[in-house]
Amino acid sequence: EDKVVQSPLSLVVHEGDTVTLNCSYEVTNFRSLLWYKQEKKAPTFLFMLTSSGIEKKSGRLSSILDKKELFSILNITATQTGDSAVYLCAALSGSARQLTFGSGTQLTVLP
Amino acid sequence: DTAVSQTPKYLVTQMGNDKSIKCEQNLGHDTMYWYKQDSKKFLKIMFSYNNKELIINETVPNRFSPKSPDKAHLNLHINSLELGDSAVYFCASSRDYGSTEAFFGQGTRLTVV
């Protein structure tokens, strides 16, 4: 069975801190790894990673994939209160043609 | 314009009832999905569907059934609702099976009493 595990489950930091969120995966015929940010409602897409070692960056957020070790990290630098959300990692399996989600990391950024 | 829209946003109903949740996407995507998010925030795939193929997660009870009148719509029908069906249900779409990110609707919070 495909599996995605995220850590930590929750994280509380202060504005300005840098955080690293972890995601490990075991999926059959892995194709891509995706990161989503979920605030109150729908998850919104952040990154899709397909190749190992290539960092994707968007503002203060960046992510990288290690296909050998089967994990990805999401970094957020200079955190702001607006970064408070659940961050979801999902692995795309080519064989199942569906996303398997982790349980998410609840990030709380305090002022 | 909302890319993926679901109705209703909230649904409270009694055990044993039959209900439907509607989903529409205006992105021209070929593939649509239904996910269930439980109280622990796990998002679990229920169905993946395009106009050629339906993939059902084998753990989904057959009380749940997707209905697609056309490529832009994928409705979720639930028969004989149970307390354990209470959750947030998300509809999503992608350009095709698994090639790009999925865009999510705002979710439908279903409460079975």
Side-chain angles (χ1 to χ4, degrees):
Chain A
E1 185 183 341
D2 294 345
K3 190 167 66 172
V4 176
V5 178
Q6 291 185 245
S7 64
L9 291 180
S10 66
L11 193 53
V12 180
V13 299
H14 287 91
E15 274 193 314
D17 289 349
T18 293
V19 298
T20 298
L21 310 183
N22 303 297
C23 174
S24 64
Y25 62 90
E26 291 178 35
V27 300
T28 307
N29 192 15
F30 172 81
R31 290 185 63 176
S32 305
L33 190 122
L34 291 85
W35 283 96
Y36 286 85
K37 178 182 181 182
Q38 185 176 22
E39 296 176 84
K40 292 186 179 175
K41 289 287 188 177
T44 53
F45 174 77
L46 294 175
F47 297 110
M48 183 166 75
L49 303 155
T50 306
S51 302
S52 253
I54 299 175
E55 186 183 53
K56 290 222 172 173
K57 205 167 167 62
S58 175
R60 295 175 294 103
L61 276 67
S62 63
S63 184
I64 197 161
L65 174 68
D66 186 328
K67 289 168 77 172
K68 184 179 175 186
E69 301 296 331
L70 308 183
F71 79 89
S72 174
I73 60 172
L74 175 69
N75 280 320
I76 309 175
T77 58
T79 51
Q80 302 171 357
T81 55
D83 296 329
S84 296
V86 174
Y87 290 83
L88 294 163
C89 166
L92 179 63
S93 160
S95 56
R97 289 179 285 191
Q98 61 193 28
L99 288 171
T100 300
F101 281 84
S103 60
T105 293
Q106 172 79 58
L107 174 65
T108 303
V109 181
L110 302 174
Chain B
D1 283 342
T2 303
V4 182
S5 60
Q6 296 177 228
T7 55
K9 291 183 180 178
Y10 301 95
L11 182 55
V12 181
T13 188
Q14 288 185 318
M15 281 177 59
N17 284 349
D18 302 337
K19 289 293 178 185
S20 295
I21 306 172
K22 295 185 177 180
C23 178
E24 176 182 4
Q25 54 94 5
N26 62 6
L27 297 166
H29 286 170
D30 285 336
T31 306
M32 296 183 74
Y33 310 84
W34 277 105
Y35 287 86
K36 178 181 180 181
Q37 188 173 44
D38 60 24
S39 58
K40 296 184 179 179
K41 296 293 187 181
F42 265 111
L43 268 166
K44 293 184 179 176
I45 186 77
M46 300 177 71
F47 304 101
S48 306
Y49 183 79
N50 67 15
N51 57 5
K52 298 174 186 174
E53 190 175 4
L54 171 66
I55 298 177
I56 302 171
N57 184 324
E58 62 188 14
T59 66
V60 174
N62 58 14
R63 298 180 294 103
F64 291 79
S65 58
K67 297 279 194 299
S68 180
D70 54 57
K71 198 173 83 165
H73 297 83
L74 184 66
N75 303 325
L76 181 65
H77 295 270
I78 316 169
N79 295 324
S80 303
L81 278 156
E82 300 177 359
L83 293 177
D85 297 332
S86 296
V88 180
Y89 291 84
F90 284 99
C91 175
S93 73
S94 65
R95 192 174 64 215
D96 54 39
Y97 267 133
S99 67
T100 60
E101 69 272 21
F103 292 85
F104 283 79
Q106 291 297 298
T108 296
R109 180 173 292 280
L110 171 65
T111 304
V112 182
V113 297

